[in-house]
Amino acid sequence: MPQLPTSSSPSNPTERLAKMASHMGAPAPSSFPANTVPQAPEDPLFGLMAAYRKDTNEKKVDLGIGAYRDDNAKPWVLPVVKQADEILRNDPQLNHEYLPIAGLAEFTTASAKLMLGADSSAIAEKRVISMQTISGTGAVHLGALFLSKFYSQPSTVYFSSPTWANHNQIFTNVSLPIKTYPYFSAQTKGLDFSGMLSTIESAPNGSIILLHACAHNPTGVDPTRSQWKELATLMRSKKHFPFFDCAYQGFASGDLEHDAWPVRYFIAQGFELCVAQSFAKNFGLYGERAGCFHFVTSPSSDAGDTITRVASQLAILQRSEISNPPAYGARIASLVLNDPKLFAVWEDNLRTMSGRIIEMRKALRSQLEGMGTPGTWKHITEQIGMFSFTGLNEKQVQMLRAEFSIYMTKNGRISMAGLNTGNVKYVAEAVDKVVRETAQ
């Protein structure tokens, strides 16, 4: 005869599981304790943005954001992007299928021509491989990862001091050692070209030298063409590998050809190099993450074989990380880059953005000089692009934030796009006050 359950025996699965759990005791601690996974510091720029959003001062000014704003301090969707978006939405063939691993071919081909030149010998000789990436950040990462795995000689990556903060993290994450070369002169608020040359000359042969193609971030200070030529001569003699980061083509000067000149010059000199290209700033496609990575091999007899092998390995790296790049931003950019009429509209949009930035530089300098603010301020108009290194120190930056709700990074870098005709006088007067107070 079957034994009936007693009061001490669980009568159903739920009760049995509960009893088993009671015998197991307290849950085990995490396998990721604080001594192995420490709390990371907050990203300073995004922390700055969060503080700005919480500020209730009606006069607050955001000079930290690295995105274009119109004269009403609003995001600006480029008219050409609106046109391209309309074309896309009305295309009966539009779908959401995967792109190839290397991305949208008509986008990467047009991107290479934009960066390297439609008449580029490297393109004509098929010495270029282009991969669509997750904007410029993804392009820098893909290039860094490739170099960490395949660059034939042990090498250190040299950055400018200062540089875009993310460069340090990206290259460190792929275990490439990093060093810096002098770049910004605190005294002249311009380029320390002799210091830059000296360090690059003393770097071991075959070092990787990261260069900002135009509109250096964060200083807004670019070499002249004669300085670029001198730098190229030195790097050729040292057999260094140039890695160009270009996030502001067309946005810096309003002239796409002018802003790409350093990259094209180095290629014309026979360098083997790579380029990270972003379409965030010059198309206003910040959230769409449209970018491109270009590897250009030298015009040697084995160039064809080299570029085929490099392309195969880049495809494997891309596949293992993102499989396929996102389509929307690339489609928008591709439509514009491949249509002469839309391209002309885009060039006009670029002139609008760069022109407003230039006018704000002039206005800020004029206001400061008009008030006789201590110091010299000509560097504001001598620098170029989205950012300006003002020369303000950390104490002055803190005062501007505490007293006037003017937000900028602690090194005194400001986004010129945050200035407009409605706030430039307010900002200048605030700068004048804190400079005078701290000069006493």
Side-chain angles (χ1 to χ4, degrees), residues 46-111:
F46 285 90
L48 189 73
M49 292 166 59
Y52 171 80
R53 286 192 293 268
K54 292 177 182 177
D55 195 322
T56 57
N57 186 344
E58 292 182 356
K59 291 186 175 182
K60 66 181 180 179
V61 181
D62 181 6
L63 300 181
I65 185 67
Y68 182 77
R69 296 291 182 261
D70 65 16
D71 199 48
N72 296 310
K74 302 295 184 185
W76 191 52
V77 179
L78 274 61
V80 74
V81 170
K82 290 183 177 180
Q83 291 181 44
D85 183 63
E86 187 71 15
I87 293 169
L88 270 182
R89 288 190 293 109
N90 290 304
D91 181 0
Q93 303 301 316
L94 179 66
N95 59 53
H96 300 284
E97 294 295 300
Y98 290 123
L99 292 182
I101 293 172
L104 189 67
E106 52 265 40
F107 167 70
T108 56
T109 299
S111 297

Side-chain angles (χ1 to χ4, degrees), residues 114-193:
L114 183 74
M115 177 57 62
L116 311 183
D119 59 350
S120 169
S121 59
I123 294 176
E125 295 162 10
K126 295 180 171 49
R127 294 188 285 112
V128 183
I129 173 61
S130 301
M131 303 282 292
Q132 185 185 331
T133 58
I134 308 295
S135 200
T137 304
V140 173
H141 169 70
L142 182 62
L145 185 61
F146 175 81
L147 292 173
S148 73
K149 290 177 70 69
F150 298 109
Y151 193 42
S152 59
Q153 47 194 308
S155 186
T156 296
V157 183
Y158 284 78
F159 306 139
S160 62
S161 178
T163 190
W164 180 48
N166 221 12
H167 283 149
N168 297 279
Q169 192 64 53
I170 290 171
F171 282 88
T172 299
N173 281 352
V174 297
S175 301
L176 279 172
I178 60 175
K179 290 185 178 179
T180 62
Y181 54 83
Y183 192 84
F184 183 76
S185 167
Q187 287 71 39
T188 66
K189 299 180 179 64
L191 180 63
D192 179 6
F193 189 57

